Amino acid sequence: MTSSLSFMGSYSGITMDTVDQLIEAESRKVVQYKNQQTGLTGEKNAWKDINTRLDSLYKKFDALKEPNAFDSKTVSNTNDKAVKVTAGTEALEGSYKVEVTTLATSSQLTSGSITGMSGKKITDSLSLSGELTFTTENSKGTEENKDLDTKSFTIKIAEGDSLKDIVTKINETAKEKESGLHASVIDNRIVLTDTDMGERSISVTDSNLEEGNESLVGKLALGTDVTSFTSGKQANLTVNGIQMYRNSNTITDAVDGLTFNLVGVTESNQVSTVKVTEDVDKTTKAIQDFVDQYNSVMSFIDTQLDVGDPSADGNKTGALVGDSSLMRIQSQLRSMMTSSSKDSTQPIKGLSDLGIEVNRFGAATLDTAKLKEQLAKNSNNVQAFFFREESVKDADRNETTKQFGIAQQMTTFINEYIGEKTGIITTKSKTIDGMIKGLDEQITKFNERLEKKRERYIEQFTALDVAMMEAESQLSYLMSQVTTNQQK
């Protein structure tokens, strides 16, 4: 090939530049293929962006299916240094005056000085063995219900166990038995704390004390004659003049839907005034979020379908001009935003009743004042318009639960496009990938054909030069013969 290249053009004047020009002229098809690939990649990226925006819109509507989007409550409190209050969705609007007289505390039993600990570390062996039983119970319980609030467990102490080992066994067994007792070591003394609050007793007894043996309780200074015991207290609070006691500082059963977290004792003339109201701002924000995301989707769709100015030089169009699937999304979203329900059982018929209007360009706006007016009138009606579940009977009188509302309609429609496995966008993306791959294969084959054609051109033009060289040689020979004959 090298000799051919060096010889080619010697007589004909047809060089590699000529071959390159011929190949370049024929390679314009590759440019067309690559332009098609660029267009397809633009389509794929556009659909990917649409999928992301639709997914966000799906989530905005999905959030409006949740009860707390409409039933959330806001709480104001004039004195949260004594009590902090949170409200669940089931809480009723109202006002409460709360006064905390006593916080709930835990009972604590502290051992006396343990014999033999002098000069020892808590990790040194105590040379003790035996079994101890730990019992906690409600001191205010009656004889009939005391057993229901009694918790007990037993540990075994082996020769070689240290004070630290004993405390570790207490805690591990207490946790396993869910007794609520916790042990620690302070100044070489065992401190037992009942994590269950209220007036509870703590007792420690030998489980298998044999006659004549010294009490293990005594050796660990856990007998009642040497221990220090502080009884826990019940929380004492008053809500709207009603006094109540609880064995916890977190109280959930005083007012339905409200949780009172007691954090301090109410000082004089500082009673906590708690007001529970509907959290319309949270609902308004959730609806505004979906309106904003809807506008984002529609604006981007407009960009992708934009034909630009066909009469202008270098006119730029959207990546999905004329795409029927995208036009269907645009049309259906706008239709659902402006449609009116024919369900006579629902007082709210359309988004316009909630202050949401869609202009002729498809953009939506929210009148928050009108929305809040509807929420104040009846937030349940607003919630039912977005999402509700109803029991319906089929032709065989079988009862099933069905979902209704614009949020349900929107998420169902959007899922047709963004579904991971069977969604229209997923299918389109796979189709485009296949087309791009097909173009890659065509480009490869076309380049192979061009390379073979290049080789043929080189062979043909080299052969032409050889022929011209031979013709010139023959012509020179003939001319020499003619000259010789003339001289004779």
Side-chain angles (χ1 to χ4, degrees):
M1 178 65 71
T2 302
S3 59
S4 298
L5 290 175
S6 60
F7 186 76
M8 188 179 72
S10 301
Y11 288 87
S12 66
I14 301 174
T15 64
M16 278 303 299
D17 289 339
T18 305
V19 173
D20 289 340
Q21 290 172 8
L22 290 170
I23 294 299
E24 183 179 355
E26 296 187 38
S27 65
R28 290 172 183 171
K29 188 67 176 178
V30 174
V31 176
Q32 294 177 10
Y33 287 149
K34 290 185 176 180
N35 287 340
Q36 289 179 41
Q37 283 186 323
T38 300
L40 288 170
T41 300
E43 289 183 29
K44 181 180 178 180
N45 290 337
W47 276 116
K48 182 178 179 181
D49 200 338
I50 290 169
N51 189 88
T52 299
R53 293 168 190 264
L54 285 176
D55 182 63
S56 295
L57 184 60
Y58 180 99
K59 290 174 180 175
K60 302 300 183 187
F61 276 109
D62 205 37
L64 291 170
K65 294 180 181 181
E66 299 297 326
N68 60 11
F70 299 92
D71 296 337
S72 292
K73 304 298 190 297
T74 183
V75 177
S76 64
N77 186 354
T78 59
N79 179 19
D80 60 3
K81 292 182 179 180
V83 58
K84 297 182 184 298
V85 183
T86 56
T89 57
E90 68 277 14
L92 300 177
E93 293 185 75
S95 180
Y96 307 91
K97 291 189 178 298
V98 184
E99 185 174 1
V100 181
T101 304
T102 306
L103 291 176
T105 59
S106 296
S107 296
Q108 179 175 295
L109 176 69
T110 304
S111 74
S113 298
I114 300 175
T115 304
M117 278 301 297
S118 179
K120 286 188 175 183
K121 299 178 181 178
I122 64 171
T123 54
D124 293 339
S125 171
L126 292 177
S127 301
L128 299 175
S129 64
E131 293 184 359
L132 290 178
T133 297
F134 298 81
T135 303
T136 60
E137 62 182 1
N138 186 356
S139 301
K140 295 181 73 66
T142 63
E143 290 301 323
E144 290 77 15
N145 67 13
K146 185 173 288 189
D147 288 342
L148 299 177
D149 203 14
T150 298
K151 300 175 181 180
S152 181
F153 65 91
T154 299
I155 66 167
K156 290 184 178 182
I157 299 175
E159 287 281 353
D161 280 350
S162 65
L163 182 57
K164 184 177 181 180
D165 293 329
I166 294 172
V167 168
T168 300
K169 287 182 178 181
I170 294 172
N171 289 332
E172 289 178 348
T173 309
K175 183 177 181 180
E176 179 186 344
K177 300 296 184 181
E178 298 181 352
S179 84
L181 197 66
H182 179 76
S184 58
V185 178
I186 301 177
D187 192 27
N188 288 341
R189 298 169 186 260
I190 299 175
V191 179
L192 302 174
T193 303
D194 190 348
T195 55
D196 291 337
M197 295 181 175
E199 297 181 24
R200 298 177 61 81
S201 63
I202 302 174
S203 62
V204 186
T205 56
D206 286 279
S207 299
N208 59 350
L209 180 63
E210 296 182 2
E211 187 176 353
N213 289 342
E214 186 178 354
S215 168
L216 185 57
V217 169
K219 290 179 180 180
L220 292 173
L222 289 170
T224 55
D225 55 334
V226 292
T227 55
S228 172
F229 177 72
T230 302
S231 178
K233 295 181 180 179
Q234 289 185 303
N236 181 357
L237 73 157
T238 302
V239 180
N240 285 3
I242 300 175
Q243 190 175 44
M244 57 194 75
Y245 295 88
R246 297 291 187 274
N247 290 330
S248 173
N249 288 317
T250 301
I251 301 169
T252 59
D253 61 350
V255 178
D256 187 38
L258 295 186
T259 298
F260 296 92
N261 290 299
L262 312 185
V263 293
V265 174
T266 302
E267 298 181 5
S268 58
N269 300 322
Q270 291 189 1
V271 173
S272 302
T273 300
V274 177
K275 291 185 178 180
V276 181
T277 56
E278 294 284 348
D279 191 356
V280 295
D281 288 337
K282 181 177 180 180
T283 304
T284 301
K285 184 180 184 304
I287 294 176
Q288 182 68 65
D289 284 348
F290 108 70
V291 170
D292 292 341
Q293 188 57 37
Y294 163 82
N295 286 333
S296 173
V297 171
M298 296 298 280
S299 176
F300 187 75
I301 289 176
D302 283 340
T303 302
Q304 301 311 305
L305 293 174
D306 187 14
V307 298
D309 183 1
S311 64
D313 292 335
N315 177 48
K316 291 185 177 180
T317 64
L320 299 172
V321 170
D323 190 288
S324 60
S325 295
L326 187 56
M327 288 190 286
R328 176 174 177 261
I329 294 176
Q330 183 185 53
S331 174
Q332 284 292 99
L333 286 177
R334 183 180 297 181
S335 176
M336 284 189 280
M337 289 287 287
T338 56
S339 63
S340 180
S341 172
K342 297 179 181 179
D343 189 345
S344 59
T345 64
Q346 297 301 316
I348 297 176
K349 302 300 182 183
L351 287 171
S352 59
D353 294 339
L354 302 177
I356 299 174
E357 299 291 344
V358 179
N359 64 23
R360 63 190 182 93
F361 301 107
T365 56
L366 170 63
D367 183 344
T368 56
K370 188 172 183 179
L371 172 61
K372 289 182 178 181
E373 182 181 341
Q374 288 282 14
L375 290 170
K377 184 185 299 183
N378 193 327
S379 63
N380 290 333
N381 289 340
V382 179
Q383 180 179 3
F385 170 75
F386 279 97
F387 181 75
R388 65 187 184 278
E389 293 183 326
E390 296 179 1
S391 296
V392 296
K393 292 182 179 179
D394 57 23
D396 297 326
R397 308 298 293 172
N398 295 318
E399 195 170 273
T400 58
T401 300
K402 286 193 174 183
Q403 298 177 335
F404 301 90
I406 189 171
Q408 177 62 23
Q409 295 170 20
M410 281 285 192
T411 52
T412 299
F413 171 70
I414 293 172
N415 194 58
E416 292 179 17
Y417 284 84
I418 67 173
E420 291 185 6
K421 294 182 179 180
T422 60
I424 293 173
I425 295 178
T426 297
T427 302
K428 278 185 170 291
S429 182
K430 290 179 179 178
T431 301
I432 292 173
D433 284 339
M435 294 170 70
I436 291 174
K437 183 179 179 181
L439 287 169
D440 278 332
E441 294 172 352
Q442 291 184 59
I443 290 172
T444 299
K445 292 178 179 178
F446 190 80
N447 284 332
E448 290 173 352
R449 291 197 299 270
L450 279 181
E451 188 58 34
K452 290 179 180 179
K453 182 168 284 191
R454 177 191 292 272
E455 292 174 359
R456 287 199 302 273
Y457 280 146
I458 293 171
E459 290 176 359
Q460 291 169 358
F461 294 141
T462 300
L464 176 61
D465 279 305
V466 171
M468 290 178 70
M469 180 191 71
E470 291 176 346
E472 182 181 22
S473 177
Q474 290 176 1
L475 180 60
S476 296
Y477 173 76
L478 291 173
M479 291 298 292
S480 66
Q481 291 297 316
V482 169
T483 304
T484 300
N485 289 333
Q486 287 177 346
Q487 290 175 350
K488 289 180 178 181

PDB file of all heavy atoms in Angstrom, residues 9 20 61-62 80 86 132 139 145 177 210 226 277 293 301 313 357 369 381 395 404 425 480:
ATOM      1  N   GLY A   9      -0.404   9.237  -8.685  1.00  0.00           N
ATOM      2  CA  GLY A   9      -0.365  10.652  -9.046  1.00  0.00           C
ATOM      3  C   GLY A   9       0.861  11.067  -9.809  1.00  0.00           C
ATOM      4  O   GLY A   9       0.961  12.220 -10.259  1.00  0.00           O
ATOM      5  N   ASP A  20      -9.282  11.832  -0.797  1.00  0.00           N
ATOM      6  CA  ASP A  20      -9.923  12.338   0.438  1.00  0.00           C
ATOM      7  C   ASP A  20     -11.158  13.162   0.114  1.00  0.00           C
ATOM      8  O   ASP A  20     -12.178  13.087   0.817  1.00  0.00           O
ATOM      9  CB  ASP A  20      -8.927  13.182   1.237  1.00  0.00           C
ATOM     10  CG  ASP A  20      -7.826  12.341   1.867  1.00  0.00           C
ATOM     11  OD1 ASP A  20      -8.040  11.118   2.007  1.00  0.00           O
ATOM     12  OD2 ASP A  20      -6.761  12.900   2.212  1.00  0.00           O
ATOM     13  N   PHE A  61     -49.175  15.661  44.655  1.00  0.00           N
ATOM     14  CA  PHE A  61     -50.556  15.184  44.771  1.00  0.00           C
ATOM     15  C   PHE A  61     -50.654  14.033  45.768  1.00  0.00           C
ATOM     16  O   PHE A  61     -51.647  13.909  46.486  1.00  0.00           O
ATOM     17  CB  PHE A  61     -51.089  14.746  43.404  1.00  0.00           C
ATOM     18  CG  PHE A  61     -51.631  15.876  42.584  1.00  0.00           C
ATOM     19  CD1 PHE A  61     -50.955  16.326  41.468  1.00  0.00           C
ATOM     20  CD2 PHE A  61     -52.817  16.500  42.940  1.00  0.00           C
ATOM     21  CE1 PHE A  61     -51.459  17.375  40.697  1.00  0.00           C
ATOM     22  CE2 PHE A  61     -53.325  17.550  42.184  1.00  0.00           C
ATOM     23  CZ  PHE A  61     -52.635  17.984  41.062  1.00  0.00           C
ATOM     24  N   ASP A  62     -49.637  13.178  45.799  1.00  0.00           N
ATOM     25  CA  ASP A  62     -49.651  12.057  46.729  1.00  0.00           C
ATOM     26  C   ASP A  62     -49.687  12.560  48.173  1.00  0.00           C
ATOM     27  O   ASP A  62     -50.329  11.956  49.034  1.00  0.00           O
ATOM     28  CB  ASP A  62     -48.407  11.181  46.506  1.00  0.00           C
ATOM     29  CG  ASP A  62     -48.616   9.746  46.950  1.00  0.00           C
ATOM     30  OD1 ASP A  62     -49.731   9.223  46.760  1.00  0.00           O
ATOM     31  OD2 ASP A  62     -47.678   9.151  47.489  1.00  0.00           O
ATOM     32  N   ASP A  80     -44.251  27.654  77.774  1.00  0.00           N
ATOM     33  CA  ASP A  80     -43.726  26.328  77.473  1.00  0.00           C
ATOM     34  C   ASP A  80     -42.556  25.950  78.375  1.00  0.00           C
ATOM     35  O   ASP A  80     -41.904  24.932  78.155  1.00  0.00           O
ATOM     36  CB  ASP A  80     -43.318  26.228  76.003  1.00  0.00           C
ATOM     37  CG  ASP A  80     -42.235  27.222  75.618  1.00  0.00           C
ATOM     38  OD1 ASP A  80     -41.753  27.957  76.504  1.00  0.00           O
ATOM     39  OD2 ASP A  80     -41.868  27.263  74.427  1.00  0.00           O
ATOM     40  N   THR A  86     -48.043  19.128  71.966  1.00  0.00           N
ATOM     41  CA  THR A  86     -48.126  18.837  70.539  1.00  0.00           C
ATOM     42  C   THR A  86     -49.505  18.263  70.241  1.00  0.00           C
ATOM     43  O   THR A  86     -50.121  17.625  71.110  1.00  0.00           O
ATOM     44  CB  THR A  86     -47.043  17.836  70.097  1.00  0.00           C
ATOM     45  OG1 THR A  86     -47.144  16.644  70.893  1.00  0.00           O
ATOM     46  CG2 THR A  86     -45.654  18.432  70.265  1.00  0.00           C
ATOM     47  N   LEU A 132     -29.752 -13.255  93.741  1.00  0.00           N
ATOM     48  CA  LEU A 132     -30.501 -12.105  94.259  1.00  0.00           C
ATOM     49  C   LEU A 132     -31.740 -11.876  93.392  1.00  0.00           C
ATOM     50  O   LEU A 132     -31.677 -12.011  92.166  1.00  0.00           O
ATOM     51  CB  LEU A 132     -29.634 -10.841  94.231  1.00  0.00           C
ATOM     52  CG  LEU A 132     -28.464 -10.751  95.207  1.00  0.00           C
ATOM     53  CD1 LEU A 132     -27.698  -9.444  94.992  1.00  0.00           C
ATOM     54  CD2 LEU A 132     -28.949 -10.833  96.649  1.00  0.00           C
ATOM     55  N   SER A 139     -46.380   1.452  94.620  1.00  0.00           N
ATOM     56  CA  SER A 139     -46.709   1.578  96.049  1.00  0.00           C
ATOM     57  C   SER A 139     -48.147   1.992  96.273  1.00  0.00           C
ATOM     58  O   SER A 139     -48.704   1.771  97.348  1.00  0.00           O
ATOM     59  CB  SER A 139     -45.778   2.610  96.713  1.00  0.00           C
ATOM     60  OG  SER A 139     -44.440   2.225  96.572  1.00  0.00           O
ATOM     61  N   ASN A 145     -54.893  -5.051  92.408  1.00  0.00           N
ATOM     62  CA  ASN A 145     -54.197  -4.795  91.138  1.00  0.00           C
ATOM     63  C   ASN A 145     -52.693  -4.645  91.284  1.00  0.00           C
ATOM     64  O   ASN A 145     -51.997  -4.385  90.317  1.00  0.00           O
ATOM     65  CB  ASN A 145     -54.768  -3.545  90.454  1.00  0.00           C
ATOM     66  CG  ASN A 145     -54.470  -2.265  91.244  1.00  0.00           C
ATOM     67  OD1 ASN A 145     -53.649  -2.252  92.159  1.00  0.00           O
ATOM     68  ND2 ASN A 145     -55.155  -1.195  90.890  1.00  0.00           N
ATOM     69  N   LYS A 177     -35.729  -8.769  80.901  1.00  0.00           N
ATOM     70  CA  LYS A 177     -37.042  -9.001  81.529  1.00  0.00           C
ATOM     71  C   LYS A 177     -37.957  -7.782  81.452  1.00  0.00           C
ATOM     72  O   LYS A 177     -39.089  -7.835  81.932  1.00  0.00           O
ATOM     73  CB  LYS A 177     -36.852  -9.388  82.996  1.00  0.00           C
ATOM     74  CG  LYS A 177     -36.022 -10.659  83.212  1.00  0.00           C
ATOM     75  CD  LYS A 177     -36.693 -11.876  82.635  1.00  0.00           C
ATOM     76  CE  LYS A 177     -35.898 -13.145  82.944  1.00  0.00           C
ATOM     77  NZ  LYS A 177     -36.536 -14.350  82.376  1.00  0.00           N
ATOM     78  N   GLU A 210     -29.165 -20.361 102.311  1.00  0.00           N
ATOM     79  CA  GLU A 210     -29.197 -21.564 103.139  1.00  0.00           C
ATOM     80  C   GLU A 210     -28.975 -21.194 104.605  1.00  0.00           C
ATOM     81  O   GLU A 210     -28.289 -20.232 104.928  1.00  0.00           O
ATOM     82  CB  GLU A 210     -28.109 -22.541 102.683  1.00  0.00           C
ATOM     83  CG  GLU A 210     -28.322 -23.056 101.261  1.00  0.00           C
ATOM     84  CD  GLU A 210     -27.250 -24.045 100.864  1.00  0.00           C
ATOM     85  OE1 GLU A 210     -26.382 -24.354 101.709  1.00  0.00           O
ATOM     86  OE2 GLU A 210     -27.287 -24.508  99.703  1.00  0.00           O
ATOM     87  N   VAL A 226     -29.662  -0.613 106.014  1.00  0.00           N
ATOM     88  CA  VAL A 226     -28.502   0.217 105.665  1.00  0.00           C
ATOM     89  C   VAL A 226     -28.701   0.999 104.375  1.00  0.00           C
ATOM     90  O   VAL A 226     -27.909   1.886 104.055  1.00  0.00           O
ATOM     91  CB  VAL A 226     -27.226  -0.644 105.526  1.00  0.00           C
ATOM     92  CG1 VAL A 226     -26.805  -1.193 106.875  1.00  0.00           C
ATOM     93  CG2 VAL A 226     -27.430  -1.752 104.506  1.00  0.00           C
ATOM     94  N   THR A 277     -55.615  25.091  67.054  1.00  0.00           N
ATOM     95  CA  THR A 277     -56.383  25.547  65.902  1.00  0.00           C
ATOM     96  C   THR A 277     -55.965  24.761  64.658  1.00  0.00           C
ATOM     97  O   THR A 277     -54.935  24.095  64.638  1.00  0.00           O
ATOM     98  CB  THR A 277     -56.162  27.054  65.636  1.00  0.00           C
ATOM     99  OG1 THR A 277     -54.754  27.291  65.467  1.00  0.00           O
ATOM    100  CG2 THR A 277     -56.669  27.890  66.802  1.00  0.00           C
ATOM    101  N   GLN A 293     -45.651  23.273  40.972  1.00  0.00           N
ATOM    102  CA  GLN A 293     -45.054  22.172  40.214  1.00  0.00           C
ATOM    103  C   GLN A 293     -45.817  21.919  38.914  1.00  0.00           C
ATOM    104  O   GLN A 293     -45.220  21.592  37.885  1.00  0.00           O
ATOM    105  CB  GLN A 293     -45.013  20.896  41.060  1.00  0.00           C
ATOM    106  CG  GLN A 293     -44.248  19.752  40.423  1.00  0.00           C
ATOM    107  CD  GLN A 293     -42.815  20.120  40.095  1.00  0.00           C
ATOM    108  OE1 GLN A 293     -42.172  20.843  40.843  1.00  0.00           O
ATOM    109  NE2 GLN A 293     -42.315  19.606  38.978  1.00  0.00           N
ATOM    110  N   ILE A 301     -43.135  21.695  29.111  1.00  0.00           N
ATOM    111  CA  ILE A 301     -43.771  21.048  27.959  1.00  0.00           C
ATOM    112  C   ILE A 301     -43.914  22.044  26.808  1.00  0.00           C
ATOM    113  O   ILE A 301     -43.659  21.719  25.639  1.00  0.00           O
ATOM    114  CB  ILE A 301     -45.142  20.466  28.356  1.00  0.00           C
ATOM    115  CG1 ILE A 301     -44.961  19.244  29.265  1.00  0.00           C
ATOM    116  CG2 ILE A 301     -45.943  20.076  27.113  1.00  0.00           C
ATOM    117  CD1 ILE A 301     -46.249  18.656  29.787  1.00  0.00           C
ATOM    118  N   ASP A 313     -34.056  32.556  10.029  1.00  0.00           N
ATOM    119  CA  ASP A 313     -32.836  31.799   9.774  1.00  0.00           C
ATOM    120  C   ASP A 313     -32.345  31.174  11.072  1.00  0.00           C
ATOM    121  O   ASP A 313     -32.336  31.825  12.117  1.00  0.00           O
ATOM    122  CB  ASP A 313     -31.755  32.731   9.200  1.00  0.00           C
ATOM    123  CG  ASP A 313     -32.101  33.220   7.802  1.00  0.00           C
ATOM    124  OD1 ASP A 313     -32.873  32.512   7.125  1.00  0.00           O
ATOM    125  OD2 ASP A 313     -31.616  34.296   7.412  1.00  0.00           O
ATOM    126  N   GLU A 357     -57.260  28.972  39.445  1.00  0.00           N
ATOM    127  CA  GLU A 357     -57.716  29.282  38.096  1.00  0.00           C
ATOM    128  C   GLU A 357     -56.600  28.994  37.088  1.00  0.00           C
ATOM    129  O   GLU A 357     -55.421  29.201  37.384  1.00  0.00           O
ATOM    130  CB  GLU A 357     -58.129  30.759  37.994  1.00  0.00           C
ATOM    131  CG  GLU A 357     -59.289  31.152  38.916  1.00  0.00           C
ATOM    132  CD  GLU A 357     -60.620  30.536  38.506  1.00  0.00           C
ATOM    133  OE1 GLU A 357     -60.716  30.055  37.349  1.00  0.00           O
ATOM    134  OE2 GLU A 357     -61.559  30.549  39.329  1.00  0.00           O
ATOM    135  N   ALA A 369     -56.665  33.441  49.774  1.00  0.00           N
ATOM    136  CA  ALA A 369     -57.765  33.916  50.631  1.00  0.00           C
ATOM    137  C   ALA A 369     -59.014  33.066  50.414  1.00  0.00           C
ATOM    138  O   ALA A 369     -59.697  32.678  51.371  1.00  0.00           O
ATOM    139  CB  ALA A 369     -58.055  35.385  50.339  1.00  0.00           C
ATOM    140  N   ASN A 381     -64.432  18.852  53.585  1.00  0.00           N
ATOM    141  CA  ASN A 381     -64.911  18.910  52.206  1.00  0.00           C
ATOM    142  C   ASN A 381     -63.751  19.113  51.231  1.00  0.00           C
ATOM    143  O   ASN A 381     -63.732  18.534  50.147  1.00  0.00           O
ATOM    144  CB  ASN A 381     -65.926  20.045  52.049  1.00  0.00           C
ATOM    145  CG  ASN A 381     -67.248  19.738  52.741  1.00  0.00           C
ATOM    146  OD1 ASN A 381     -67.558  18.579  53.009  1.00  0.00           O
ATOM    147  ND2 ASN A 381     -68.016  20.766  53.048  1.00  0.00           N
ATOM    148  N   ALA A 395     -71.743  -5.610  40.917  1.00  0.00           N
ATOM    149  CA  ALA A 395     -72.982  -6.211  40.422  1.00  0.00           C
ATOM    150  C   ALA A 395     -73.430  -7.399  41.260  1.00  0.00           C
ATOM    151  O   ALA A 395     -74.625  -7.718  41.331  1.00  0.00           O
ATOM    152  CB  ALA A 395     -72.806  -6.633  38.961  1.00  0.00           C
ATOM    153  N   PHE A 404     -61.316   8.021  45.341  1.00  0.00           N
ATOM    154  CA  PHE A 404     -61.825   9.085  44.490  1.00  0.00           C
ATOM    155  C   PHE A 404     -61.083  10.383  44.793  1.00  0.00           C
ATOM    156  O   PHE A 404     -60.351  10.484  45.772  1.00  0.00           O
ATOM    157  CB  PHE A 404     -63.332   9.290  44.719  1.00  0.00           C
ATOM    158  CG  PHE A 404     -64.171   8.070  44.446  1.00  0.00           C
ATOM    159  CD1 PHE A 404     -64.444   7.161  45.458  1.00  0.00           C
ATOM    160  CD2 PHE A 404     -64.682   7.840  43.176  1.00  0.00           C
ATOM    161  CE1 PHE A 404     -65.218   6.033  45.217  1.00  0.00           C
ATOM    162  CE2 PHE A 404     -65.463   6.707  42.925  1.00  0.00           C
ATOM    163  CZ  PHE A 404     -65.738   5.803  43.948  1.00  0.00           C
ATOM    164  N   ILE A 425     -42.953   6.763  29.334  1.00  0.00           N
ATOM    165  CA  ILE A 425     -41.636   7.399  29.184  1.00  0.00           C
ATOM    166  C   ILE A 425     -40.537   6.346  29.202  1.00  0.00           C
ATOM    167  O   ILE A 425     -39.568   6.436  28.430  1.00  0.00           O
ATOM    168  CB  ILE A 425     -41.411   8.455  30.283  1.00  0.00           C
ATOM    169  CG1 ILE A 425     -42.411   9.603  30.112  1.00  0.00           C
ATOM    170  CG2 ILE A 425     -39.981   8.984  30.248  1.00  0.00           C
ATOM    171  CD1 ILE A 425     -42.317  10.681  31.173  1.00  0.00           C
ATOM    172  N   SER A 480      11.158   6.390 -31.044  1.00  0.00           N
ATOM    173  CA  SER A 480      12.572   6.090 -31.328  1.00  0.00           C
ATOM    174  C   SER A 480      12.708   5.248 -32.594  1.00  0.00           C
ATOM    175  O   SER A 480      13.644   5.396 -33.392  1.00  0.00           O
ATOM    176  CB  SER A 480      13.221   5.376 -30.136  1.00  0.00           C
ATOM    177  OG  SER A 480      12.645   4.100 -29.957  1.00  0.00           O
TER     178      SER A 480
END
